PDB file of all heavy atoms in Angstrom:
ATOM      1  N   ALA A   1      -5.505   1.499   0.229  1.00 89.00           N
ATOM      2  CA  ALA A   1      -5.536   0.770  -1.119  1.00 89.00           C
ATOM      3  C   ALA A   1      -4.419  -0.260  -1.067  1.00 89.00           C
ATOM      4  O   ALA A   1      -3.256   0.011  -0.807  1.00 89.00           O
ATOM      5  CB  ALA A   1      -5.319   1.793  -2.185  1.00 89.00           C
ATOM      6  N   LEU A   2      -4.887  -1.452  -1.238  1.00 90.00           N
ATOM      7  CA  LEU A   2      -3.822  -2.595  -1.214  1.00 90.00           C
ATOM      8  C   LEU A   2      -3.760  -3.231  -2.555  1.00 90.00           C
ATOM      9  O   LEU A   2      -4.743  -3.277  -3.341  1.00 90.00           O
ATOM     10  CB  LEU A   2      -4.310  -3.680  -0.249  1.00 90.00           C
ATOM     11  CG  LEU A   2      -4.714  -3.201   1.171  1.00 90.00           C
ATOM     12  CD1 LEU A   2      -5.238  -4.319   2.033  1.00 90.00           C
ATOM     13  CD2 LEU A   2      -3.434  -2.576   1.931  1.00 90.00           C
ATOM     14  N   TYR A   3      -2.520  -3.675  -2.933  1.00 90.00           N
ATOM     15  CA  TYR A   3      -2.357  -4.155  -4.299  1.00 90.00           C
ATOM     16  C   TYR A   3      -1.646  -5.503  -4.125  1.00 90.00           C
ATOM     17  O   TYR A   3      -0.747  -5.825  -3.430  1.00 90.00           O
ATOM     18  CB  TYR A   3      -1.462  -3.221  -5.174  1.00 90.00           C
ATOM     19  CG  TYR A   3      -2.105  -2.027  -5.340  1.00 90.00           C
ATOM     20  CD1 TYR A   3      -1.986  -0.873  -4.519  1.00 90.00           C
ATOM     21  CD2 TYR A   3      -3.113  -1.832  -6.378  1.00 90.00           C
ATOM     22  CE1 TYR A   3      -2.737   0.261  -4.679  1.00 90.00           C
ATOM     23  CE2 TYR A   3      -3.743  -0.633  -6.563  1.00 90.00           C
ATOM     24  CZ  TYR A   3      -3.632   0.359  -5.737  1.00 90.00           C
ATOM     25  OH  TYR A   3      -4.292   1.516  -5.923  1.00 90.00           O
ATOM     26  N   PHE A   4      -2.200  -6.532  -4.953  1.00 91.00           N
ATOM     27  CA  PHE A   4      -1.979  -7.946  -4.878  1.00 91.00           C
ATOM     28  C   PHE A   4      -1.524  -8.452  -6.276  1.00 91.00           C
ATOM     29  O   PHE A   4      -2.283  -8.163  -7.242  1.00 91.00           O
ATOM     30  CB  PHE A   4      -3.110  -8.658  -4.312  1.00 91.00           C
ATOM     31  CG  PHE A   4      -2.880 -10.203  -4.058  1.00 91.00           C
ATOM     32  CD1 PHE A   4      -2.141 -10.575  -3.030  1.00 91.00           C
ATOM     33  CD2 PHE A   4      -3.495 -11.122  -4.938  1.00 91.00           C
ATOM     34  CE1 PHE A   4      -2.041 -11.952  -2.780  1.00 91.00           C
ATOM     35  CE2 PHE A   4      -3.325 -12.427  -4.743  1.00 91.00           C
ATOM     36  CZ  PHE A   4      -2.529 -12.896  -3.608  1.00 91.00           C
ATOM     37  N   ASP A   5      -0.317  -9.103  -6.458  1.00 91.00           N
ATOM     38  CA  ASP A   5       0.027  -9.459  -7.746  1.00 91.00           C
ATOM     39  C   ASP A   5      -0.379 -10.845  -8.163  1.00 91.00           C
ATOM     40  O   ASP A   5      -0.005 -11.421  -9.251  1.00 91.00           O
ATOM     41  CB  ASP A   5       1.542  -9.330  -7.937  1.00 91.00           C
ATOM     42  CG  ASP A   5       2.279 -10.166  -7.070  1.00 91.00           C
ATOM     43  OD1 ASP A   5       1.817 -11.076  -6.375  1.00 91.00           O
ATOM     44  OD2 ASP A   5       3.571 -10.120  -7.093  1.00 91.00           O
ATOM     45  N   GLY A   6      -1.231 -11.451  -7.313  1.00 86.00           N
ATOM     46  CA  GLY A   6      -1.524 -12.898  -7.594  1.00 86.00           C
ATOM     47  C   GLY A   6      -0.925 -13.804  -6.585  1.00 86.00           C
ATOM     48  O   GLY A   6      -1.355 -14.939  -6.407  1.00 86.00           O
ATOM     49  N   LYS A   7       0.194 -13.342  -6.015  1.00 88.00           N
ATOM     50  CA  LYS A   7       0.921 -14.227  -5.027  1.00 88.00           C
ATOM     51  C   LYS A   7       1.069 -13.407  -3.734  1.00 88.00           C
ATOM     52  O   LYS A   7       0.911 -14.020  -2.576  1.00 88.00           O
ATOM     53  CB  LYS A   7       2.265 -14.605  -5.598  1.00 88.00           C
ATOM     54  CG  LYS A   7       2.226 -15.465  -6.773  1.00 88.00           C
ATOM     55  CD  LYS A   7       3.593 -15.945  -7.219  1.00 88.00           C
ATOM     56  CE  LYS A   7       3.514 -16.836  -8.476  1.00 88.00           C
ATOM     57  NZ  LYS A   7       4.773 -17.124  -9.007  1.00 88.00           N
ATOM     58  N   ASP A   8       1.478 -12.146  -3.856  1.00 88.00           N
ATOM     59  CA  ASP A   8       1.753 -11.396  -2.608  1.00 88.00           C
ATOM     60  C   ASP A   8       1.116 -10.038  -2.679  1.00 88.00           C
ATOM     61  O   ASP A   8       0.873  -9.504  -3.719  1.00 88.00           O
ATOM     62  CB  ASP A   8       3.262 -11.190  -2.445  1.00 88.00           C
ATOM     63  CG  ASP A   8       4.078 -12.547  -2.303  1.00 88.00           C
ATOM     64  OD1 ASP A   8       3.679 -13.191  -1.307  1.00 88.00           O
ATOM     65  OD2 ASP A   8       4.990 -12.863  -3.006  1.00 88.00           O
ATOM     66  N   PHE A   9       0.896  -9.478  -1.515  1.00 89.00           N
ATOM     67  CA  PHE A   9       0.559  -7.976  -1.439  1.00 89.00           C
ATOM     68  C   PHE A   9       1.832  -7.161  -1.683  1.00 89.00           C
ATOM     69  O   PHE A   9       2.890  -7.487  -0.982  1.00 89.00           O
ATOM     70  CB  PHE A   9      -0.027  -7.737  -0.055  1.00 89.00           C
ATOM     71  CG  PHE A   9      -1.347  -8.174   0.118  1.00 89.00           C
ATOM     72  CD1 PHE A   9      -1.642  -9.501   0.687  1.00 89.00           C
ATOM     73  CD2 PHE A   9      -2.514  -7.544  -0.335  1.00 89.00           C
ATOM     74  CE1 PHE A   9      -2.969  -9.964   0.796  1.00 89.00           C
ATOM     75  CE2 PHE A   9      -3.757  -7.975  -0.216  1.00 89.00           C
ATOM     76  CZ  PHE A   9      -4.038  -9.223   0.387  1.00 89.00           C
ATOM     77  N   ILE A  10       1.826  -6.319  -2.646  1.00 91.00           N
ATOM     78  CA  ILE A  10       3.127  -5.690  -3.139  1.00 91.00           C
ATOM     79  C   ILE A  10       3.030  -4.188  -2.691  1.00 91.00           C
ATOM     80  O   ILE A  10       4.107  -3.511  -2.758  1.00 91.00           O
ATOM     81  CB  ILE A  10       3.297  -5.902  -4.603  1.00 91.00           C
ATOM     82  CG1 ILE A  10       2.111  -5.433  -5.347  1.00 91.00           C
ATOM     83  CG2 ILE A  10       3.598  -7.331  -4.931  1.00 91.00           C
ATOM     84  CD1 ILE A  10       2.366  -5.246  -6.901  1.00 91.00           C
ATOM     85  N   ALA A  11       1.905  -3.689  -2.446  1.00 92.00           N
ATOM     86  CA  ALA A  11       1.873  -2.168  -2.223  1.00 92.00           C
ATOM     87  C   ALA A  11       0.706  -1.913  -1.319  1.00 92.00           C
ATOM     88  O   ALA A  11      -0.379  -2.622  -1.368  1.00 92.00           O
ATOM     89  CB  ALA A  11       1.840  -1.328  -3.502  1.00 92.00           C
ATOM     90  N   ALA A  12       0.809  -0.887  -0.518  1.00 92.00           N
ATOM     91  CA  ALA A  12      -0.306  -0.418   0.304  1.00 92.00           C
ATOM     92  C   ALA A  12      -0.172   1.111   0.488  1.00 92.00           C
ATOM     93  O   ALA A  12       0.937   1.623   0.621  1.00 92.00           O
ATOM     94  CB  ALA A  12      -0.237  -1.120   1.684  1.00 92.00           C
ATOM     95  N   TYR A  13      -1.315   1.819   0.386  1.00 92.00           N
ATOM     96  CA  TYR A  13      -1.342   3.239   0.585  1.00 92.00           C
ATOM     97  C   TYR A  13      -2.310   3.662   1.518  1.00 92.00           C
ATOM     98  O   TYR A  13      -3.512   3.079   1.493  1.00 92.00           O
ATOM     99  CB  TYR A  13      -1.543   3.901  -0.835  1.00 92.00           C
ATOM    100  CG  TYR A  13      -0.514   3.563  -1.810  1.00 92.00           C
ATOM    101  CD1 TYR A  13      -0.646   2.489  -2.704  1.00 92.00           C
ATOM    102  CD2 TYR A  13       0.742   4.280  -1.767  1.00 92.00           C
ATOM    103  CE1 TYR A  13       0.391   2.238  -3.702  1.00 92.00           C
ATOM    104  CE2 TYR A  13       1.781   3.986  -2.777  1.00 92.00           C
ATOM    105  CZ  TYR A  13       1.533   2.900  -3.591  1.00 92.00           C
ATOM    106  OH  TYR A  13       2.548   2.553  -4.566  1.00 92.00           O
ATOM    107  N   ASN A  14      -2.076   4.681   2.326  1.00 91.00           N
ATOM    108  CA  ASN A  14      -3.055   5.187   3.291  1.00 91.00           C
ATOM    109  C   ASN A  14      -3.820   6.271   2.565  1.00 91.00           C
ATOM    110  O   ASN A  14      -3.333   7.284   2.333  1.00 91.00           O
ATOM    111  CB  ASN A  14      -2.402   5.764   4.550  1.00 91.00           C
ATOM    112  CG  ASN A  14      -3.335   6.210   5.634  1.00 91.00           C
ATOM    113  OD1 ASN A  14      -4.345   6.896   5.229  1.00 91.00           O
ATOM    114  ND2 ASN A  14      -3.027   6.020   6.787  1.00 91.00           N
ATOM    115  N   LEU A  15      -5.126   5.977   2.400  1.00 88.00           N
ATOM    116  CA  LEU A  15      -5.910   6.870   1.482  1.00 88.00           C
ATOM    117  C   LEU A  15      -6.314   8.211   2.225  1.00 88.00           C
ATOM    118  O   LEU A  15      -6.735   9.148   1.666  1.00 88.00           O
ATOM    119  CB  LEU A  15      -7.215   6.302   0.882  1.00 88.00           C
ATOM    120  CG  LEU A  15      -6.709   5.098  -0.081  1.00 88.00           C
ATOM    121  CD1 LEU A  15      -7.998   4.316  -0.586  1.00 88.00           C
ATOM    122  CD2 LEU A  15      -5.946   5.641  -1.305  1.00 88.00           C
ATOM    123  N   LYS A  16      -6.236   8.151   3.662  1.00 89.00           N
ATOM    124  CA  LYS A  16      -6.467   9.366   4.408  1.00 89.00           C
ATOM    125  C   LYS A  16      -5.335  10.364   4.303  1.00 89.00           C
ATOM    126  O   LYS A  16      -5.493  11.584   4.144  1.00 89.00           O
ATOM    127  CB  LYS A  16      -6.811   8.976   5.833  1.00 89.00           C
ATOM    128  CG  LYS A  16      -8.184   9.140   6.262  1.00 89.00           C
ATOM    129  CD  LYS A  16      -8.342   8.949   7.705  1.00 89.00           C
ATOM    130  CE  LYS A  16      -9.767   9.139   8.120  1.00 89.00           C
ATOM    131  NZ  LYS A  16     -10.150   8.689   9.307  1.00 89.00           N
ATOM    132  N   THR A  17      -4.174   9.792   4.411  1.00 92.00           N
ATOM    133  CA  THR A  17      -3.058  10.763   4.538  1.00 92.00           C
ATOM    134  C   THR A  17      -2.194  10.792   3.217  1.00 92.00           C
ATOM    135  O   THR A  17      -1.332  11.688   3.032  1.00 92.00           O
ATOM    136  CB  THR A  17      -2.020  10.289   5.632  1.00 92.00           C
ATOM    137  OG1 THR A  17      -1.548   9.011   5.380  1.00 92.00           O
ATOM    138  CG2 THR A  17      -2.724  10.317   7.019  1.00 92.00           C
ATOM    139  N   ASP A  18      -2.450   9.949   2.322  1.00 92.00           N
ATOM    140  CA  ASP A  18      -1.714   9.878   1.059  1.00 92.00           C
ATOM    141  C   ASP A  18      -2.619   9.631  -0.149  1.00 92.00           C
ATOM    142  O   ASP A  18      -2.564   8.646  -0.753  1.00 92.00           O
ATOM    143  CB  ASP A  18      -0.609   8.744   1.101  1.00 92.00           C
ATOM    144  CG  ASP A  18       0.314   8.648   0.014  1.00 92.00           C
ATOM    145  OD1 ASP A  18       0.431   9.629  -0.851  1.00 92.00           O
ATOM    146  OD2 ASP A  18       0.929   7.563  -0.212  1.00 92.00           O
ATOM    147  N   ILE A  19      -3.519  10.585  -0.330  1.00 87.00           N
ATOM    148  CA  ILE A  19      -4.510  10.392  -1.488  1.00 87.00           C
ATOM    149  C   ILE A  19      -3.909  10.237  -2.873  1.00 87.00           C
ATOM    150  O   ILE A  19      -4.482   9.662  -3.687  1.00 87.00           O
ATOM    151  CB  ILE A  19      -5.531  11.579  -1.466  1.00 87.00           C
ATOM    152  CG1 ILE A  19      -6.683  11.253  -2.322  1.00 87.00           C
ATOM    153  CG2 ILE A  19      -4.806  12.846  -1.985  1.00 87.00           C
ATOM    154  CD1 ILE A  19      -7.699  10.283  -1.661  1.00 87.00           C
ATOM    155  N   LEU A  20      -2.712  10.687  -3.036  1.00 90.00           N
ATOM    156  CA  LEU A  20      -2.004  10.531  -4.366  1.00 90.00           C
ATOM    157  C   LEU A  20      -1.178   9.280  -4.438  1.00 90.00           C
ATOM    158  O   LEU A  20      -0.454   9.014  -5.430  1.00 90.00           O
ATOM    159  CB  LEU A  20      -1.151  11.772  -4.561  1.00 90.00           C
ATOM    160  CG  LEU A  20      -1.853  13.051  -4.662  1.00 90.00           C
ATOM    161  CD1 LEU A  20      -0.954  14.218  -4.945  1.00 90.00           C
ATOM    162  CD2 LEU A  20      -2.994  13.077  -5.787  1.00 90.00           C
ATOM    163  N   ASN A  21      -1.280   8.502  -3.397  1.00 88.00           N
ATOM    164  CA  ASN A  21      -0.552   7.146  -3.434  1.00 88.00           C
ATOM    165  C   ASN A  21       0.971   7.205  -3.797  1.00 88.00           C
ATOM    166  O   ASN A  21       1.547   6.526  -4.580  1.00 88.00           O
ATOM    167  CB  ASN A  21      -1.208   6.172  -4.554  1.00 88.00           C
ATOM    168  CG  ASN A  21      -2.622   5.888  -4.328  1.00 88.00           C
ATOM    169  OD1 ASN A  21      -3.177   5.998  -3.195  1.00 88.00           O
ATOM    170  ND2 ASN A  21      -3.328   5.557  -5.351  1.00 88.00           N
ATOM    171  N   LYS A  22       1.566   8.114  -3.103  1.00 92.00           N
ATOM    172  CA  LYS A  22       3.094   8.382  -3.321  1.00 92.00           C
ATOM    173  C   LYS A  22       3.929   7.554  -2.341  1.00 92.00           C
ATOM    174  O   LYS A  22       5.062   7.121  -2.660  1.00 92.00           O
ATOM    175  CB  LYS A  22       3.316   9.785  -3.020  1.00 92.00           C
ATOM    176  CG  LYS A  22       2.561  10.732  -3.975  1.00 92.00           C
ATOM    177  CD  LYS A  22       3.583  11.661  -4.594  1.00 92.00           C
ATOM    178  CE  LYS A  22       2.791  12.571  -5.516  1.00 92.00           C
ATOM    179  NZ  LYS A  22       3.387  12.665  -6.811  1.00 92.00           N
ATOM    180  N   LYS A  23       3.449   7.170  -1.049  1.00 93.00           N
ATOM    181  CA  LYS A  23       4.251   6.469  -0.082  1.00 93.00           C
ATOM    182  C   LYS A  23       3.719   5.031   0.080  1.00 93.00           C
ATOM    183  O   LYS A  23       2.723   4.880   0.799  1.00 93.00           O
ATOM    184  CB  LYS A  23       4.348   7.239   1.214  1.00 93.00           C
ATOM    185  CG  LYS A  23       5.265   6.626   2.192  1.00 93.00           C
ATOM    186  CD  LYS A  23       5.294   7.505   3.467  1.00 93.00           C
ATOM    187  CE  LYS A  23       6.241   6.780   4.455  1.00 93.00           C
ATOM    188  NZ  LYS A  23       6.148   7.283   5.714  1.00 93.00           N
ATOM    189  N   ASN A  24       4.451   4.097  -0.401  1.00 94.00           N
ATOM    190  CA  ASN A  24       4.100   2.689  -0.330  1.00 94.00           C
ATOM    191  C   ASN A  24       4.464   2.282   1.119  1.00 94.00           C
ATOM    192  O   ASN A  24       5.606   2.301   1.572  1.00 94.00           O
ATOM    193  CB  ASN A  24       4.813   1.787  -1.239  1.00 94.00           C
ATOM    194  CG  ASN A  24       4.433   0.314  -1.258  1.00 94.00           C
ATOM    195  OD1 ASN A  24       3.724  -0.063  -0.368  1.00 94.00           O
ATOM    196  ND2 ASN A  24       4.901  -0.414  -2.220  1.00 94.00           N
ATOM    197  N   ILE A  25       3.458   1.788   1.886  1.00 93.00           N
ATOM    198  CA  ILE A  25       3.609   1.520   3.343  1.00 93.00           C
ATOM    199  C   ILE A  25       3.607   0.073   3.584  1.00 93.00           C
ATOM    200  O   ILE A  25       3.314  -0.432   4.734  1.00 93.00           O
ATOM    201  CB  ILE A  25       2.657   2.316   4.180  1.00 93.00           C
ATOM    202  CG1 ILE A  25       1.177   1.933   3.812  1.00 93.00           C
ATOM    203  CG2 ILE A  25       2.989   3.764   4.195  1.00 93.00           C
ATOM    204  CD1 ILE A  25       0.212   2.554   4.822  1.00 93.00           C
ATOM    205  N   ILE A  26       3.756  -0.759   2.526  1.00 91.00           N
ATOM    206  CA  ILE A  26       3.564  -2.248   2.688  1.00 91.00           C
ATOM    207  C   ILE A  26       4.498  -2.818   3.665  1.00 91.00           C
ATOM    208  O   ILE A  26       4.199  -3.782   4.342  1.00 91.00           O
ATOM    209  CB  ILE A  26       3.777  -2.894   1.265  1.00 91.00           C
ATOM    210  CG1 ILE A  26       3.249  -4.360   1.303  1.00 91.00           C
ATOM    211  CG2 ILE A  26       5.212  -2.818   0.835  1.00 91.00           C
ATOM    212  CD1 ILE A  26       1.738  -4.525   1.384  1.00 91.00           C
ATOM    213  N   ASP A  27       5.690  -2.167   3.962  1.00 88.00           N
ATOM    214  CA  ASP A  27       6.662  -2.866   4.864  1.00 88.00           C
ATOM    215  C   ASP A  27       6.427  -2.457   6.180  1.00 88.00           C
ATOM    216  O   ASP A  27       7.094  -2.915   7.147  1.00 88.00           O
ATOM    217  CB  ASP A  27       8.117  -2.424   4.431  1.00 88.00           C
ATOM    218  CG  ASP A  27       8.419  -2.982   3.141  1.00 88.00           C
ATOM    219  OD1 ASP A  27       7.968  -4.133   2.813  1.00 88.00           O
ATOM    220  OD2 ASP A  27       9.273  -2.499   2.287  1.00 88.00           O
ATOM    221  N   GLN A  28       5.484  -1.515   6.510  1.00 85.00           N
ATOM    222  CA  GLN A  28       5.122  -1.187   7.905  1.00 85.00           C
ATOM    223  C   GLN A  28       4.426  -2.362   8.638  1.00 85.00           C
ATOM    224  O   GLN A  28       3.696  -3.067   8.022  1.00 85.00           O
ATOM    225  CB  GLN A  28       4.293  -0.059   7.950  1.00 85.00           C
ATOM    226  CG  GLN A  28       4.976   1.330   7.506  1.00 85.00           C
ATOM    227  CD  GLN A  28       4.103   2.526   7.625  1.00 85.00           C
ATOM    228  OE1 GLN A  28       3.019   2.468   8.220  1.00 85.00           O
ATOM    229  NE2 GLN A  28       4.584   3.707   7.152  1.00 85.00           N
ATOM    230  N   THR A  29       4.696  -2.435   9.913  1.00 74.00           N
ATOM    231  CA  THR A  29       4.153  -3.582  10.626  1.00 74.00           C
ATOM    232  C   THR A  29       2.611  -3.577  10.692  1.00 74.00           C
ATOM    233  O   THR A  29       2.085  -2.472  10.876  1.00 74.00           O
ATOM    234  CB  THR A  29       4.692  -3.536  12.067  1.00 74.00           C
ATOM    235  OG1 THR A  29       6.127  -3.510  12.082  1.00 74.00           O
ATOM    236  CG2 THR A  29       4.222  -4.733  12.907  1.00 74.00           C
ATOM    237  N   ASN A  30       1.951  -4.667  10.432  1.00 78.00           N
ATOM    238  CA  ASN A  30       0.529  -4.898  10.545  1.00 78.00           C
ATOM    239  C   ASN A  30      -0.305  -3.866   9.656  1.00 78.00           C
ATOM    240  O   ASN A  30      -1.319  -3.439  10.008  1.00 78.00           O
ATOM    241  CB  ASN A  30       0.093  -4.651  11.919  1.00 78.00           C
ATOM    242  CG  ASN A  30       0.736  -5.698  12.894  1.00 78.00           C
ATOM    243  OD1 ASN A  30       0.889  -6.833  12.461  1.00 78.00           O
ATOM    244  ND2 ASN A  30       1.018  -5.290  14.133  1.00 78.00           N
TER     245      ASN A  30
END
């Protein structure tokens, strides 16, 4: 699940391992 504010991607969540969207992984490489 990726989130975009109109300018930048601001959040990303792995829906396989983090179904509750608790750990934002946007800063992880690639």
Side-chain angles (χ1 to χ4, degrees):
L2 308 174
Y3 295 93
F4 185 75
D5 66 3
K7 294 180 182 175
D8 296 307
F9 286 93
I10 57 168
Y13 299 95
N14 183 321
L15 297 177
K16 246 187 181 167
T17 60
D18 183 20
I19 194 73
L20 299 180
N21 302 336
K22 298 228 182 231
K23 185 178 178 191
N24 185 351
I25 57 172
I26 193 69
D27 293 328
Q28 291 183 8
T29 308
N30 299 325

